[in-house]
Amino acid sequence: MPWCGPCQRYFTPAALKTGGACPVCGEATEQADLAPGAGERAEVSEAEARAPWHFWLVVVATVVYVGWRIVQLVLSAL
């Protein structure tokens, strides 16, 4: 995948200018190695790998909502 160092962005091959230049800054792009374990970004700490707090907020809200709907179902059946 083409990588532009000055822009710090990946580009699709179709987005590049002729000759493989960056469409934003015009610098030459290099082929990035995206294989697992390549580079320093491949090492992800446990804090970065965790789900964000708002994901867990949605999970808790969903569990509370479904629990309440089950209580309503049981009470309406009585």
Side-chain angles (χ1 to χ4, degrees), residues 1-11 16 20-32:
M1 173 157 278
W3 167 257
C4 178
C7 294
Q8 298 290 308
R9 291 178 56 186
Y10 290 105
F11 291 100
L16 298 177
C22 174
V24 177
C25 67
E27 294 288 325
T29 58
E30 56 189 48
Q31 191 66 20

Side-chain angles (χ1 to χ4, degrees), residues 19-76:
C22 174
V24 177
C25 67
E27 294 288 325
T29 58
E30 56 189 48
Q31 191 66 20
D33 185 13
L34 298 178
E40 50 191 72
R41 286 297 287 167
E43 297 178 19
V44 178
S45 69
E46 187 173 332
E48 291 176 352
R50 294 179 50 194
W53 66 270
H54 51 276
F55 170 77
W56 294 113
L57 179 67
V58 170
V59 168
V60 169
T62 302
V63 168
V64 169
Y65 173 75
V66 170
W68 176 247
R69 296 298 290 187
I70 291 172
V71 168
Q72 285 182 329
L73 177 69
V74 170
L75 291 178
S76 68

